Amino acid sequence: MATSRRQFIAGLLATGLAPKPTWADAGSPSFLSAGALRDGTFVLCGIDAALNPTFRLRLPARGHAAAAHPSRPEAVAFARRPGAFAVVIDCVSGEQAAMLTAPAGRHFYGHGAFSSDGQLLYTTENDYEAGRGRIGVWDATAGYVRIDEWDGGGIGPHDIKRLPGSESLVVANGGIETHPESGRTKLNIATMTPNLAYLRDGAIIETVELPRDMHKNSIRHLAICSDQRVAFGMQWQGDGRAPSLVGHHRLGEQVTLMPPDSDAGRDMQGYVGSIAVSADGRTIAATSPRGNVVQTYDVEAAEQIGSLTIEDVCGVVQVPGGFAVTSGTGELRYLGDTLPTGPGRRNDLAWDNHLIQI
Amino acid sequence: MKRYLLAATLVCAPVQAAADPSIPDIIDDHILPRFEALATTTDTLSHVAQETCLPASEDLRRAYGIAFDAWISASHLRFGPTEVDDRAFALAFWPDSRGATPQALAKLIADQDPIAFDPDSYADVSIAARGFYALEFLIYDDALLQQGDAQYHCTLVQTVAADIAATAAAIHRDWVEEHADVLLTPGAEALYRNDEEVLRELLKALTAGLQFTQDSRLGRPLGTFERPRPTRAEARRSGRSARHVTLSLEALHDLAGHLAAGDAALTATLDQQFADALARLAELDVPVFAGVSDPQTRFRIEVLSQAVGTIRTTVLTGLGQALGVSAGFNALDGD
C-alpha cells in the first residue's frame, strides 16, 4: 500500500501537479539508521514508531550518522570517517536526490545538522593538511551546493547539533588529529585538547574545554535538551579507567561531568558510542558497544542511575517516556527513562552507530 | 575484508574460547625482557653520550641504534607504566605531523636554553624535544647539526640521552615492582576484574601495534599514488624505517604466538601470515622506503601493507574469538 502511494506521489511529482511531499509520503518513519547487511553491503533505513523498517536504501559504502531534513522527506547519509561522500536520499522515491562530495583536502566525519528552516546543511570536516576542523555549509535549496566553510573551533570535529529555537550550532571537537593517508591513526594523543565549540553565523561564540587532567577525553557525541543544555559523550584515550565519559553543559555555564560509580565506569570500557537526553531533560542515556551496556544518568544529581546489558548496543535516541536503542546484532528496542521496557525487534542486519530521530 | 569481518561479527552465539594463553608466560617471556632490555640499552646509550657526544661518533650512533631497537621491540606494550606521565610519548613522539620536534629543538638551540644543562628538569620541556626521535634529529639531521654552538649541541645530546634512560628505567621499575602483579592479580576492586580483561588489554596492544605499523610506519610514507611521501618515513635520517617494520612485526608475532597458545590451527595461520609479511619486507631491500615514488617498488610496499592488514584481520576475528573476547560491529568502529 505504502509503495503504491509512494509511486503515485512520485508520479504526481513528475507532472509538477502535486503538493510538496512530506515525511508522511515516505511512510512516516520515526527514525533513520544506517546499517550493514549480511552480504557486506550498506543501507540507510527508515524505521516507524512500531520499530518496523519502512524503507531500505542502498549506500555506496559504510555509513555513520544521518541528518533528516526538518520538513522535506529527505535524509543525508554520511560516510563513515574518513569518507568523502554524503548521499541525499529522497525517502519517498528511494532515489538519490543529490550527492555531497567533500572538497579537495577535506573529508567528512560522519555527522551533520540542518538549519531550522532546512535551507542550510552543516557538516563536520577535516582540513587534514592544516590539521584543523572545518564546518562545511551547503545550500539545501539548490541541490546541496557548497556555499561556505567555517573554522570549527578545534581539531577533529565529530558530532554537530543545532540548539533548539536558535540558529546556533554546537560542535564536539574530539581533539584528535588524523590524516587519511595514515588511516585512523591518532597523531596527537600526547597534546590533544578536545572542546565544545558554539558557533553562530560562522563565528565562534564560546569554546569550553575540559579540566587539564581530562585532556585525553575525546568529546564525540551530542544530544540537546529543549532548554538548550548539551549532553556529551566521550571516549577515553588515556590509560586505565576513564574518569568520566558523560557530561553536560549550557552556554555561559560551567561543564558538569558525571563520574560513574567505579564498576559501572569500567563496564563502559572507556567508550561512549552514542548519547541521548530524555524529553524532560532530566535523564541522559549513554551507550557503550565495547562494554555491551546502556547506562542512564541523572542530570541534576550528576550520577549514574541505571544500566542494562545489550550486546553491541550503540544507537540511542530520545522518545516520549524514554529512549530507543539499536545494536550491531540487529536489535531495536524501547527503554524507559530508567531502563527496561519490553523486548524489541531483531532485524537481519547490523545497525550502525547512530539512530536518528525525524 | 569487510565482508569477512561482518560475517564474523554477526554471529552472536557464544563462542567457546579455544586458545589457552598463559598470562605469567606473557609477562616473563614477552613483556619484562623487553623493558629490561630497554632500560639496559638506554643506560648504555646515556653513558656513551657522556663519553662522546659528537653526532658523527660511531660509538654514539651504535649505542643509539641498539637502544632504539629495544624501544621498537617494546613499543606496542602501550598500557600501564608506559602511559604514566606520558612516558611512551616522551620516548617516542612520532608521527610528528606538524614538525614539532625540529621546531622545539631549534628553539632550544637558538635560545641556548639552560634547561639543557639539567637532565632532571629536561622532562619539563616540550614532549616533542624528548626521546629517540629528538635524538635522531640531534645526531643525524644535517640542518640541525649546522645550528647553534657545538658545545650546547653536545650538552643537548647528553641530556636527551640521560632523559631517555631515566624514562626507560622508570617504566622498567614500575613493571617489575607493580604492574606485573597488576596483570597477575585481577579482582573486583583491581584495575582488571578478571583474566579476560587482562587478555583483552594484551589483544588490544597487538591489534594497535599492527595498525600502527600498517597505517603509520607504512601508510605515512606511502601517502597516495599521486603524492607519495618518502620524507614521512619513520626514522629515515638514521636509515631505520624498514628495520622498524621488521622489529615491530617480530615483536608482534611473539605476542600473537603467546596469545594463540593452545590453538594449533590459528598459530599456524599466524605463523604463515607473519612469515609472509617479513619475507616480502626482506625482498624489498628499501631501508627508508624511498621507493614509494617508484611505481614498481610502491606496489610491493602496498602489498606488504596489505599483508600486515591480513594479520590484523586474523587477530581481530580469529584470535579475538579464540580468546573469547571478540568485539562487535559497533564496538570495533572507534567513533
Side-chain angles (χ1 to χ4, degrees):
Chain A
M1 285 273 280
T3 312
S4 62
R5 174 170 160 78
R6 255 180 267 166
Q7 281 165 350
F8 174 69
I9 299 271
L12 279 183
L13 282 176
T15 64
L17 293 172
K20 284 191 173 148
T22 67
W23 279 103
D25 299 311
S28 297
S30 297
F31 312 106
L32 297 173
S33 177
L37 303 181
R38 278 178 183 268
D39 65 4
T41 59
F42 300 95
V43 291
L44 180 74
C45 298
I47 300 158
D48 70 14
L51 304 182
N52 293 306
T54 56
F55 61 79
R56 179 181 277 199
L57 308 172
R58 181 81 185 269
L59 294 178
R62 183 169 174 186
H64 186 70
H69 191 278
S71 51
R72 293 202 298 264
E74 207 165 82
V76 187
F78 296 97
R80 177 175 184 255
R81 177 172 69 93
F85 78 87
V87 191
V88 183
I89 295 173
D90 177 330
C91 297
V92 177
S93 67
E95 302 287 310
Q96 176 179 312
M99 170 75 102
L100 285 69
T101 306
R106 308 281 182 276
H107 69 72
F108 293 124
Y109 276 97
H111 289 265
F114 278 98
S115 60
S116 61
D117 60 8
Q119 291 195 13
L120 298 174
L121 173 73
Y122 306 103
T123 53
T124 48
E125 299 173 6
N126 188 7
D127 177 357
Y128 45 82
E129 292 302 329
R132 274 304 281 190
R134 308 286 180 205
I135 307 303
V137 186
W138 310 76
D139 184 350
T141 66
Y144 291 86
V145 282
R146 189 181 184 85
I147 54 170
D148 205 354
E149 178 178 290
W150 302 336
D151 183 75
I155 295 173
H158 195 72
D159 204 351
I160 180 170
K161 291 275 193 307
R162 185 176 53 78
L163 298 183
S166 92
E167 295 304 325
S168 298
L169 300 168
V170 56
V171 179
N173 284 306
I176 300 175
E177 183 182 350
T178 55
H179 192 294
E181 289 170 17
S182 41
R184 290 158 78 102
T185 301
K186 299 156 186 165
L187 298 171
N188 66 332
I189 296 297
T191 56
M192 64 181 280
T193 313
N195 70 43
L196 280 181
Y198 293 84
L199 288 85
R200 195 176 293 147
D201 298 328
I204 291 160
I205 53 174
E206 186 170 322
T207 304
V208 190
E209 289 181 4
L210 301 174
R212 187 62 203 157
D213 59 354
M214 292 243 197
H215 82 99
K216 289 184 189 167
N217 223 349
S218 182
I219 305 176
R220 293 293 180 92
H221 292 110
L222 304 170
I224 320 283
C225 308
S226 51
D227 68 353
Q228 301 201 336
R229 185 169 295 284
V230 177
F232 54 91
M234 294 173 279
Q235 295 175 4
W236 179 241
Q237 304 294 319
D239 189 46
R241 297 181 198 175
S244 170
L245 292 168
V246 175
H248 59 82
H249 175 260
R250 192 155 54 181
L251 209 54
E253 296 179 5
Q254 297 287 311
V255 165
T256 301
L257 296 171
M258 312 275 216
D261 80 48
S262 69
D263 239 29
R266 284 190 287 176
D267 287 342
M268 303 291 265
Q269 291 193 32
Y271 188 94
V272 166
S274 290
I275 194 155
V277 60
S278 65
D280 61 11
R282 288 162 67 172
T283 312
I284 293 172
T287 59
S288 175
R290 294 195 178 165
N292 303 307
V293 66
V294 50
Q295 292 183 347
T296 48
Y297 292 77
D298 185 290
V299 169
E300 200 166 322
E303 63 181 21
Q304 187 247 328
I305 47 174
S307 177
L308 181 68
T309 299
I310 301 175
E311 189 181 351
D312 205 32
V313 63
C314 199
V316 61
V317 73
Q318 171 256 116
V319 297
F323 303 97
V325 294
T326 54
S327 83
T329 62
E331 256 198 272
L332 249 170
R333 68 162 112 157
Y334 283 122
L335 307 175
D337 263 356
T338 45
L339 314 178
T341 314
R345 294 180 185 278
R346 191 183 286 273
N347 296 93
D348 191 25
L349 81 174
W351 294 116
D352 219 317
N353 280 238
H354 300 296
L355 183 61
I356 306 296
Q357 197 164 36
I358 294 171
Chain B
M1 186 180 98
K2 265 178 192 151
R3 186 172 301 223
Y4 175 34
L5 260 179
L6 188 73
T9 52
L10 278 176
V11 175
C12 35
V15 178
Q16 200 64 42
D20 184 22
S22 159
I23 293 168
D25 284 358
I26 293 172
I27 293 169
D28 291 339
D29 302 341
H30 183 83
I31 298 175
L32 293 180
R34 284 181 160 70
F35 287 114
E36 186 182 1
L38 180 66
T40 314
T41 57
T42 54
D43 185 58
T44 304
L45 168 64
S46 180
H47 279 98
V48 170
Q50 300 311 311
E51 301 283 321
T52 168
C53 61
L54 291 175
S57 154
E58 278 302 313
D59 286 350
L60 178 62
R61 290 185 171 192
R62 190 180 310 113
Y64 170 77
I66 292 169
F68 207 169
D69 283 358
W71 165 249
I72 296 303
S73 300
S75 63
H76 57 291
L77 298 167
R78 293 290 304 269
F79 54 92
T82 56
E83 305 314 295
V84 176
D85 300 330
D86 278 337
R87 286 170 183 156
F89 288 112
L91 289 177
F93 190 84
W94 190 85
D96 178 13
S97 54
R98 309 268 140 239
T101 294
Q103 282 172 42
L105 291 172
K107 185 165 189 327
L108 285 174
I109 292 170
D111 297 348
Q112 300 266 304
D113 191 324
I115 200 161
F117 295 102
D118 183 359
D120 293 334
S121 329
Y122 195 74
D124 296 333
V125 301
S126 158
I127 201 162
R130 300 173 66 192
F132 288 105
Y133 299 87
L135 193 51
E136 190 201 28
F137 267 96
L138 289 172
I139 61 181
Y140 286 97
D141 185 68
D142 292 335
L144 210 67
L145 284 172
Q146 306 299 319
Q147 293 171 27
D149 119 340
Q151 188 53 48
Y152 186 81
H153 198 102
C154 168
T155 304
L156 208 45
V157 167
Q158 292 171 332
T159 300
V160 172
D163 177 56
I164 289 172
T167 305
I171 296 172
H172 183 228
R173 187 190 58 230
D174 282 2
W175 263 109
V176 171
E177 291 178 4
E178 293 167 22
H179 214 72
D181 280 343
V182 170
L183 263 54
L184 289 170
T185 53
E189 297 306 313
L191 179 61
Y192 302 105
R193 286 177 289 190
N194 46 49
D195 283 350
E196 187 184 281
E197 291 191 357
V198 176
L199 291 173
R200 190 182 287 138
E201 183 83 274
L202 293 164
L203 184 68
K204 198 173 97 185
L206 176 59
T207 55
L210 287 164
Q211 187 168 23
F212 189 78
T213 287
Q214 184 181 14
D215 287 350
S216 296
R217 295 194 167 112
L218 295 170
R220 283 187 70 77
L222 275 168
T224 58
F225 185 81
E226 293 73 25
R227 195 176 175 191
R229 307 275 199 155
T231 59
R232 284 186 175 172
E234 184 191 21
R236 68 181 168 86
R237 289 171 181 78
S238 52
R240 299 176 53 87
S241 314
R243 180 176 183 81
H244 284 191
V245 176
T246 306
L247 291 169
S248 74
L249 288 177
E250 286 170 352
L252 294 165
H253 185 194
D254 188 67
L255 178 56
H258 276 291
L259 289 171
D263 187 330
L266 184 59
T267 301
T269 302
L270 286 165
D271 285 347
Q272 181 265 317
Q273 290 177 348
F274 273 103
D276 174 57
L278 284 164
R280 288 179 191 283
L281 182 60
E283 282 165 22
L284 259 174
D285 195 26
V286 284
V288 294
F289 299 131
V292 289
S293 309
D294 165 66
Q296 296 243 319
T297 312
R298 178 185 178 81
F299 176 73
R300 293 164 67 201
I301 299 171
E302 283 175 347
V303 172
L304 166 63
S305 169
Q306 286 157 15
V308 178
T310 302
I311 301 171
R312 190 162 163 259
T313 304
T314 303
V315 167
L316 282 172
T317 54
L319 188 53
Q321 279 202 1
L323 294 172
V325 295
S326 58
F329 180 64
N330 288 308
L332 280 171
D333 179 68
D335 260 338

